[in-house]
Amino acid sequence: MDRDPGLNVIFSSSSQAFCKNLVGLARMVIDTTPWYRHLSPRREARERSGAIEIDVAGHRGKDPSIAAVSVTSQLTGRRGGLVIVDDVETPETSMSKPQRNLLQARVPEYFNVAYKGSGQIIFLGTPQH
């Protein structure tokens, strides 16, 4: 799985800003680590190189290699072989009963995002309640 240029990784968190930071960290590792530099997106190949979506060199496919998606944003239609869900339950997303209900409804969507259940999902976080 770790050597597949077609693998799609999705970072998800409670906020888009935090997800964006995770994509930025991944990009920094790719660009500054000598044995990962060959994965840097290439402009001439029109590979994505944005703040919330990037492609590794040689990636082919409609979905980005690495994408940032907050728990409250559009998950439907996304696909990932590896979905890393980090701190979706925060005081802001679980303070009231309606917020908890929304979070409870959104979390099962990750199983559809992870290649309809055949991908890997990693949940990280601290329960808030």
Side-chain angles (χ1 to χ4, degrees):
M1 184 182 236
D2 61 327
R3 292 182 181 233
D4 180 3
L7 176 69
N8 300 332
V9 178
I10 296 175
F11 289 117
S12 186
S13 188
S14 62
S15 75
Q16 187 68 24
F18 188 72
C19 299
K20 185 177 170 181
N21 289 342
L22 292 173
V23 171
L25 177 64
R27 177 67 191 267
M28 184 192 72
V29 169
I30 289 169
D31 290 344
T32 61
T33 307
W35 53 89
Y36 291 138
R37 278 197 202 127
H38 69 283
L39 295 173
S40 291
R42 301 167 302 185
R43 284 185 193 259
E44 67 277 3
R46 303 188 73 159
E47 293 164 338
R48 286 171 273 230
S49 180
I52 61 170
E53 295 182 336
I54 62 173
D55 287 330
V56 296
H59 176 74
R60 287 183 174 72
K62 69 177 187 92
D63 293 322
S65 297
I66 303 172
V69 181
S70 74
V71 69
T72 57
S73 65
Q74 182 68 29
L75 288 170
T76 306
R78 296 270 186 180
R79 296 290 174 260
L82 175 61
V83 180
I84 300 172
V85 184
D86 186 14
D87 280 336
V88 292
E89 185 181 2
T90 65
E92 290 78 26
T93 61
S94 63
M95 191 167 296
S96 70
K97 179 72 172 158
Q99 288 170 316
R100 288 190 295 276
N101 289 343
L102 177 63
L103 188 60
Q104 189 173 17
R106 296 297 299 222
V107 168
E109 287 186 48
Y110 289 113
F111 295 96
N112 288 327
V113 169
Y115 289 148
K116 298 284 188 187
S118 66
Q120 183 178 7
I121 303 171
I122 300 172
F123 281 95
L124 306 170
T126 305
Q128 300 297 317
H129 130 176

